[in-house]
């Protein structure tokens, strides 16, 4: 047979595959990417079959493949001569050693025939569609498809193939979240590290890879898969590493990189913000280098920037501020001369008509006052005005400040920045002596039409239910009277656990109700799973109905249902500032049940304070 020697200069490795058929050689030449091709002079004297290589080469499938490419002849010991040529091409010392990563070709099944590989599109051929694209899911592109193609064209030994199969079987059945499995080019990273040109992006990718290995080693389900994958990894890389050594080295690498790089979620490197200087200026000047390494490793540079920013702010204040103040003393804030400013106070604008049209009239009045440069204050309970597409330039929104005391919202009687959508009508009615029965019924009616924005309104509803905090409606579930405040004082993990607890209670009660009505054949225990940042749901969730709760960066919740949780989470995380959002999910029996639970959670979670 033929022998093919491959040298990877960046990794300083070589491998030799022997006993190859002519078809196997041609397939490898068509699928591998190489910069230089050398043919040994022994091929000129090969007289087997029709593959006769004369002085200039003639006949045979291999010659037909090579004749259209640039190649050189070489003689002598194939491995030694080829490594010598590689050292010369890349300017390496002759003492540079290359590691032999050859894997024995014994007990390996035969690859596809060249004709078969071409006919099913495994080898890209014009006019022939790829069978792999039909067999694999639509989102299974890139590396997965290349991996399967390589298994068909270069099948491993039965022992290694069995390891790959067993890893797939275990992966199908795992219930825990799995890492994202960061994919990087080892050759590229080695080159960058050797030349000391690796930036924070490459180092972060390296940390992601080793952190994912550490994550798998700490999980009983994933640890078994990691053990099995060591064998195929050894064949692919030529590196045979013991399990404990791999995990320990990964921990060491992760800690070293973490000690240097500024990691996501850390504080202390915000862009400068000083009076008299637009924030956009500092954003343009500092965003390209801040957030790369920890400040302690470049304290001098950070101090110089802080000093320069302060000096600039002082210079602007001293040189330009007097000029600006002088102009303001001659002109009103809207460009007209002094003396033409009017000031208005409007209380409860347009309250004497029906809500929808009154809101639009009020919005039009606000636009007009803003356009003519009028100063003033407009108060309203028409909260729909905040949803109108008003064309204003100088209008700002203020609201009455509130505090939550004993689970109920109380006004602070202080004006704060922001939009207010809560009138505290039920609390005011209670204070004015309106009977409890009337207030309670009003809250029920309010919830029926405003279920998704009912948190503040239901505070009092819980107060008026019963001393134990149970809601009397038979369709409702038991929720604690004390609301859970999603404030910065509550840790992310605590918020996640509180959401899981509430979701479990709601879903279990609903499934019990459906089972009693014989809407579902059997009652299963609700198991709530979480998927953290840079993790993804297990493959078993694909094609299975589930409901999920996504915790957004602003700590609000998004509730949905899907039959493809992996794809849905990928879509959510593709949006800006959503790359690392965590979710919790519950597997449910069918899409109909998922729809019911989705609606119920949208209505119920605000009641528990989320």
């Amino acid at each position: 047979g033929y022998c093919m020697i491959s040298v990877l200069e960046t990794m300083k490795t070589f491998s030799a595959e022997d006993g190859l058929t002519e078809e196997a050689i041609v397939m490898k030449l068509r699928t591998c990417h190489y910069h230089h091709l050398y043919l040994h002079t022994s091929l000129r004297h090969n007289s087997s079959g029709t593959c006769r290589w004369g002085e200039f080469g003639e006949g045979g499938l291999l010659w037909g493949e090579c004749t259209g490419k640039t190649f050189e002849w070489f003689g002598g010991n194939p491995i030694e001569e080829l490594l010598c040529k590689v050292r010369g091409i890349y300017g390496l010392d002759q003492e540079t050693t290359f590691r032999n990563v050859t894997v024995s070709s014994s007990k390996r099944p035969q690859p596809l025939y060249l004709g078969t590989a071409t006919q099913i599109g495994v080898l890209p051929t014009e006019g022939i569609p790829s069978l792999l694209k039909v067999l694999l899911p639509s989102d299974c592109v890139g590396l997965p498809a290349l991996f399967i193609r390589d298994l068909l064209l270069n099948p491993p030994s039965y022992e290694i193939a069995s390891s790959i199969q067993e890893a797939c079987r275990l992966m199908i059945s795992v219930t825990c979240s799995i890492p994202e499995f960061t994919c990087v080019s080892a050759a590229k990273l080695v080159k960058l590290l050797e030349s000391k040109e690796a930036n924070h992006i490459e180092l972060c990718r390296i940390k992601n890879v080793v952190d994912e290995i550490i994550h798998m080693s700490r999980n009983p389900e994933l640890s078994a898969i990691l053990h099995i994958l060591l064998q195929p990894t050894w064949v692919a890389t030529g590196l045979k590493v013991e399990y404990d050594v791999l995990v320990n080295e990964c921990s060491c690498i992760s800690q070293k990189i973490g000690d240097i790089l500024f990691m996501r979620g850390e504080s202390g490197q915000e862009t400068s913000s000083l009076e008299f200087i637009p924030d956009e200026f500092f954003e343009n000047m500092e965003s390209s280098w801040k957030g790369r390494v920890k400040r302690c490793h470049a304290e001098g540079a950070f101090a110089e920037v802080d000093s320069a920013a302060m000096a600039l702010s002082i210079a602007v204040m001293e040189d330009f501020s007097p000029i600006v103040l002088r102009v303001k003393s001659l002109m009103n804030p809207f460009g007209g001369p002094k003396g033409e400013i009017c000031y208005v106070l409007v209380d409860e604008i347009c309250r004497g008509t029906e809500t929808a049209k009154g809101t639009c009239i009020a919005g039009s009045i606000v636009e007009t006052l803003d356009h003519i440069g009028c100063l003033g204050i407009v108060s309203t309970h028409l909260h729909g005005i905040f949803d109108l597409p008003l064309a204003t330039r100088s209008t700002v929104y203020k609201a009455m400040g509130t505090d939550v005391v004993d689970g109920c919202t109380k006004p602070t009687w202080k004006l704060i920045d922001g939009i207010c959508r809560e009138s505290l009508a039920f609390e005011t009615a209670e204070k004015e002596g309106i009977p409890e029965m009337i207030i309670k019924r009003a809250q029920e009616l309010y919830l029926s039409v405003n279920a998704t924005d009912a948190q503040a309104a239901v505070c009092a509803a819980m107060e008026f239910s019963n001393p134990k905090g149970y809601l009397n409606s038979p369709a409702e579930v038991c929720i604690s009277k004390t609301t859970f405040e999603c404030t910065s004082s509550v840790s992310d993990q605590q918020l996640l656990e509180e959401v899981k607890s509430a979701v479990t209670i709601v879903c279990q009660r609903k499934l019990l109700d459906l089972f009693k009505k014989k809407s579902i054949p059997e009652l299963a225990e609700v198991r709530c799973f979480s998927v953290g940042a840079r993790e993804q749901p297990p493959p078993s969730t694909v094609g299975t109905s589930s409901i999920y709760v996504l915790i957004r960066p602003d700590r609000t919740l998004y509730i949905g249902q899907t039959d493809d949780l992996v794809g849905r989470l990928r879509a959510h995380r593709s949006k800006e500032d959503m790359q690392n959002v965590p979710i919790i999910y519950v597997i449910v029996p069918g899409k109909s049940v998922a729809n019911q639970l989705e609606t119920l959670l949208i209505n119920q979670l605000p009641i528990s304070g989320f």
Side-chain angles (χ1 to χ4, degrees):
Y2 292 87
C3 176
M4 180 173 180
I5 303 169
S6 304
V7 182
L8 191 56
E9 180 272 332
T10 52
M11 303 296 289
K12 304 298 185 292
T13 61
F14 73 91
S15 63
E17 299 178 77
D18 56 10
L20 298 174
T21 64
E22 189 175 18
E23 282 198 341
I25 284 280
V26 171
M27 272 201 295
K28 289 181 179 295
L29 289 176
R30 289 187 184 180
T31 56
C32 68
H33 299 281
Y34 53 87
H35 295 132
H36 304 277
L37 176 62
Y38 294 92
L39 302 180
H40 197 263
T41 53
S42 60
L43 290 173
R44 289 177 173 174
H45 309 295
N46 175 27
S47 59
S48 62
T50 59
C51 306
R52 294 185 298 120
W53 293 66
E55 184 65 22
F56 302 101
E58 60 181 17
L61 187 65
L62 182 55
W63 175 252
E65 181 68 23
C66 295
T67 188
K69 303 180 184 297
T70 302
F71 66 88
E72 295 181 28
W73 293 99
F74 77 108
N77 182 291
I79 293 180
E80 293 180 2
E81 288 295 326
L82 194 58
L83 293 180
C84 183
K85 286 183 175 294
V86 170
R87 294 187 185 101
I89 291 172
Y90 292 98
L92 304 176
D93 294 334
Q94 289 302 313
E95 291 75 22
T96 302
T97 59
F98 285 77
R99 186 164 47 88
N100 187 353
V101 294
T102 302
V103 178
S104 174
S105 59
S106 62
K107 298 182 180 180
R108 295 178 66 176
Q110 294 295 320
L112 294 178
Y113 287 109
L114 179 62
T116 305
T118 302
Q119 290 168 6
I120 66 175
V122 173
L123 286 178
T125 307
E126 186 177 357
I128 300 179
S130 173
L131 181 62
L132 291 182
K133 291 184 178 180
V134 179
L135 294 176
L136 298 176
S138 58
D139 60 344
C140 188
V141 295
L143 290 176
L146 289 175
F147 178 71
I148 294 180
R149 188 187 75 166
D150 190 56
L151 289 179
L152 293 171
L153 299 179
N154 304 288
S157 67
Y158 290 105
E159 179 185 2
I160 300 302
S162 299
S163 298
I164 295 173
Q165 288 183 337
E166 181 61 21
C168 290
R169 289 194 198 98
L170 292 177
M171 187 65 79
I172 289 172
S173 60
V174 297
T175 59
C176 62
S177 60
I178 61 177
E180 288 186 339
F181 296 115
T182 303
C183 297
V184 296
S185 169
K188 176 183 176 182
L189 285 180
V190 168
K191 197 73 174 177
L192 291 172
L193 290 171
E194 283 184 340
S195 60
K196 297 183 179 180
E197 294 178 355
N199 60 20
H200 71 287
I201 297 176
E202 278 77 27
L203 290 172
C204 278
R205 288 174 179 161
I206 296 175
K207 190 176 189 305
N208 290 343
V209 172
V210 297
D211 283 346
E212 288 160 3
I213 294 175
I214 296 170
H215 171 83
M216 294 184 72
S217 70
R218 293 173 179 173
N219 184 290
E221 289 185 278
L222 300 180
S223 176
I225 298 174
L226 183 60
H227 270 283
I228 295 172
L229 288 177
L230 287 180
Q231 280 288 93
T233 304
W234 162 61
V235 173
T237 63
L239 290 172
K240 201 163 189 176
V241 182
E242 296 297 327
Y243 178 86
D244 292 337
V245 174
L246 173 67
V247 174
N248 291 335
E249 289 297 321
C250 286
S251 299
C252 180
I253 293 171
S254 178
Q255 181 178 351
K256 286 184 176 180
I257 296 178
D259 289 341
I260 298 294
L261 294 188
F262 182 84
M263 308 307 296
R264 182 185 295 271
E266 296 179 347
S267 58
Q269 293 200 32
E270 297 78 11
T271 54
S272 303
S273 179
L274 295 170
E275 192 177 6
F276 304 111
I277 307 293
D279 290 339
E280 292 81 1
F281 172 82
F282 289 120
E283 181 70 24
N284 292 334
M285 296 293 290
E286 300 178 4
S287 61
S288 62
W289 59 272
K290 277 192 174 180
R292 303 295 188 262
V293 300
K294 285 183 167 54
R295 180 164 182 145
C296 60
H297 300 294
E299 189 61 54
F302 277 92
E304 287 182 19
V305 171
D306 292 342
S307 176
M310 182 59 69
L312 178 62
S313 177
I314 293 174
V316 171
M317 179 185 65
E318 292 177 346
D319 294 343
F320 294 103
S321 183
I323 300 174
V324 174
L325 292 176
R326 175 60 179 168
V327 171
K328 285 185 176 181
S329 68
L330 300 176
M331 308 290 291
N332 74 56
F334 302 102
K338 282 285 187 178
E340 295 183 0
I341 300 176
C342 64
Y343 201 99
V344 299
L345 294 172
V346 184
D347 185 34
E348 294 293 355
I349 187 172
C350 294
R351 67 176 179 177
T353 184
E354 57 100 355
T355 306
K357 294 178 181 176
T359 300
C360 294
I361 295 174
S364 179
I365 293 174
V366 170
E367 277 189 342
T368 302
L369 294 175
D370 179 89
H371 180 69
I372 65 175
C374 176
L375 299 179
I377 297 175
V378 177
S379 69
T380 181
H381 279 93
L382 301 175
H383 298 153
I385 197 172
F386 304 126
D387 299 322
L388 297 178
L390 299 182
T392 58
R393 296 173 301 173
S394 305
T395 300
V396 296
Y397 295 108
K398 300 286 185 178
M400 171 73 74
T402 58
D403 284 332
V404 178
V405 181
D406 297 329
C408 291
T409 306
K410 303 289 185 181
T412 61
W413 309 112
K414 294 180 180 179
L415 203 61
I416 61 173
D417 292 329
I419 291 175
C420 173
R421 296 181 182 272
E422 172 52 57
S423 64
L424 301 180
F426 298 140
E427 290 84 349
T428 304
E430 177 192 3
K431 190 177 297 184
E432 294 300 323
I434 301 297
E436 176 183 326
M437 179 180 66
I438 295 177
I439 297 176
K440 181 179 177 182
R441 176 55 180 160
Q443 292 162 342
E444 292 174 354
L445 294 172
Y446 180 77
L447 277 178
S448 68
V449 295
N450 296 278
T452 59
D453 191 25
Q455 175 183 346
V458 176
C459 266
M462 293 179 178
E463 191 74 37
F464 285 109
S465 293
N466 58 50
K468 294 183 179 179
Y470 291 88
L471 299 176
N472 295 330
S473 172
E476 306 290 55
V477 297
C478 166
I479 299 290
S480 169
K481 183 179 75 172
T482 304
T483 59
F484 181 84
E485 296 181 64
C486 301
T487 62
S488 57
S489 61
V490 177
S491 69
D492 293 339
Q493 185 61 36
Q494 184 180 354
L495 173 59
L496 186 70
E497 294 301 323
E498 290 285 343
V499 175
K500 287 178 67 173
S501 176
V503 169
T504 302
I505 293 174
V506 173
C507 292
Q508 194 70 68
R509 292 296 181 92
K510 181 62 178 178
L511 292 179
L512 179 61
D513 182 53
L514 292 174
F515 178 71
K516 289 179 178 179
K517 295 178 180 179
K518 298 184 178 181
S519 299
I520 54 176
E522 58 183 21
L523 179 63
E525 179 186 358
V526 172
R527 297 185 64 189
C528 204
F529 301 98
S530 60
V531 179
R534 295 194 59 254
E535 295 178 359
Q536 56 183 330
S540 57
T541 58
V542 177
T544 305
S545 295
S546 63
I547 53 108
Y548 65 93
V549 180
L550 181 144
I551 303 178
R552 294 164 53 88
D554 60 1
R555 315 197 113 197
T556 58
L557 307 182
Y558 178 93
I559 301 167
Q561 60 85 20
T562 181
D563 289 339
D564 181 10
L565 190 59
V566 175
R568 183 64 62 87
L569 180 58
R570 187 187 302 116
H572 282 299
R573 286 178 170 173
S574 66
K575 299 175 182 176
E576 188 176 0
D577 298 328
M578 299 279 283
Q579 291 83 359
N580 291 306
V581 291
I583 68 165
I584 61 172
Y585 69 92
V586 176
I587 301 296
V588 298
K591 195 170 186 67
S592 175
V593 175
N595 285 328
Q596 294 181 58
L597 289 174
E598 178 189 27
T599 302
L600 186 61
L601 287 172
I602 290 173
N603 292 333
Q604 290 294 325
L605 289 184
I607 294 177
S608 53
F610 299 103

